[in-house]
């Protein structure tokens, strides 16, 4: 936990109501960071995460909104400041992953992926760049799919390639601010987003292909986020592939 003599740091975690986001919320709270749990539509799950943090002795609150809506995200950042006094860490886990071969994906789905994953990252990163305090950290989410490049992931991988580019450029644009900007790129991780639509055989095959012979867990990814949010002050402008050696 953080030293009681120092003001508590404050984090916003987008997509914090479930999966990797929920694990990140609980891991940052364990380090003494007050957490704003963002949700898109499932307020009940976000409030469940808040209750878990509070029950463990931490501080948390929930706030909803579409990450691709600038007004909603401005309200999210205001909520963090009103509740806890400011923002030190922004972890942007929110994203969507519809899959289809490029030849078969309709443009509406493609546009929805880019709207959430690219526009959403841009909006959250812009606000974070304006509001994160000195000594803070901005952590976006990419994916190891940008290296693995399997079929059906084309539009999703394209969106995360854009996320990586924005992340690395923003790190350079924040010169002199003492704010780190990095991206975490998980490999196959046992979350509902990843497991949805896959057979048990497919999941077992993917797990066996990893040198660690398992899927990642949300907690594995949360440890990498905690590292970048806290002690990793000399890691900046990087993409941290967190995948057990899969790529």
């Amino acid at each position: 936990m953080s030293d009681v003599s120092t003001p508590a740091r404050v984090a916003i975690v987008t997509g914090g109501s479930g999966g990797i986001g929920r694990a990140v919320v609980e891991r940052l709270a364990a380090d003494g960071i007050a957490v704003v749990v963002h949700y898109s539509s499932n307020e009940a799950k976000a409030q469940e995460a808040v209750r878990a943090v509070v029950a463990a002795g931490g501080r948390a609150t929930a706030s909803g909104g579409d990450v691709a809506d600038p007004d909603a995200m401005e309200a999210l950042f205001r909520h963090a400041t009103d509740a806890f006094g400011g923002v030190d860490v922004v972890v942007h886990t929110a994203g969507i992953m519809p899959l289809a071969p490029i030849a078969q994906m309709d443009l509406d789905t493609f546009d929805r992926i880019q709207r959430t994953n690219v526009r959403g990252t841009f909006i959250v990163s812009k606000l974070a760049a304006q509001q994160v305090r000195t000594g803070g950290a901005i952590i976006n989410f990419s994916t190891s799919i940008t290296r693995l490049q399997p079929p059906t992931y084309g539009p999703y991988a394209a969106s995360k390639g854009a996320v990586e580019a924005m992340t690395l450029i923003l790190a350079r644009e924040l010169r002199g601010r003492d704010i780190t900007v990095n991206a975490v790129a998980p490999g196959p991780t046992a979350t509902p987003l990843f497991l949805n639509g896959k057979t048990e055989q497919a999941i077992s095959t993917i797990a066996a292909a990893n040198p660690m012979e398992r899927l990642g867990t949300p907690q594995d990814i949360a440890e990498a986020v905690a590292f970048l949010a806290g002690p990793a002050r000399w890691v900046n402008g990087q993409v941290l592939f967190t995948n057990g050696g899969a790529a």
Side-chain angles (χ1 to χ4, degrees):
M1 302 292 286
S2 63
D3 188 330
V4 294
S5 66
T6 60
R9 300 175 81 215
V10 179
I12 293 172
V13 180
T14 69
S17 61
I20 290 173
R22 169 70 179 268
V24 168
V25 165
E26 294 183 355
R27 181 63 182 81
L28 294 183
D31 281 344
I33 299 175
V35 184
V36 177
V37 182
H38 162 267
Y39 62 92
S40 176
S41 59
N42 198 329
E43 182 179 4
K45 288 184 67 176
Q47 295 294 350
E48 181 183 302
V50 168
R51 288 192 295 272
V53 168
V54 172
R59 295 194 299 160
T61 182
S63 183
D66 176 2
V67 294
D69 180 339
D71 292 336
M73 291 302 96
E74 286 175 5
L76 172 66
F77 277 73
R78 275 198 309 273
H79 180 86
T81 299
D82 291 345
F84 299 125
V87 182
D88 302 282
V89 177
V90 174
V91 185
H92 183 51
T93 78
I96 61 173
M97 192 176 66
L99 302 179
I102 290 170
Q104 298 174 18
M105 179 171 282
D106 62 87
L107 280 175
D108 286 345
T109 301
F110 177 86
D111 288 344
R112 186 161 57 90
I113 295 169
Q114 309 314 312
R115 181 182 185 277
T116 299
N117 296 357
V118 181
R119 177 185 166 99
T121 298
F122 178 83
I123 289 170
V124 172
S125 293
K126 178 178 180 178
L127 290 166
Q130 293 169 345
Q131 298 189 38
V132 165
R133 295 183 286 206
T134 298
I138 301 169
I139 303 163
N140 288 324
F141 263 65
S142 181
T143 173
S144 291
I145 291 298
T146 58
R147 285 186 175 179
L148 295 169
Q149 301 173 347
T152 75
Y153 284 84
Y156 175 71
S159 74
K160 293 302 187 177
V163 168
E164 290 184 11
M166 283 192 287
T167 298
L168 306 189
I169 290 170
L170 183 58
R172 289 148 181 80
E173 291 178 344
L174 295 185
R175 171 185 289 271
R177 295 273 304 279
D178 189 25
I179 296 170
T180 61
V181 189
N182 294 288
V184 173
T189 305
T191 66
L193 182 67
F194 174 78
L195 298 174
N196 183 44
K198 293 182 176 67
T199 65
E200 287 295 326
Q201 181 178 356
I203 293 168
S204 296
T205 299
I206 293 168
N210 191 290
M212 304 297 284
E213 297 186 326
R214 66 175 177 86
L215 295 178
T217 68
Q219 290 72 29
D220 291 327
I221 312 307
E223 285 296 330
V225 171
F227 172 64
L228 294 174
R233 300 307 303 167
W234 200 236
V235 181
N236 189 28
Q238 305 299 316
V239 179
L240 181 58
F241 286 85
T242 310
N243 56 33

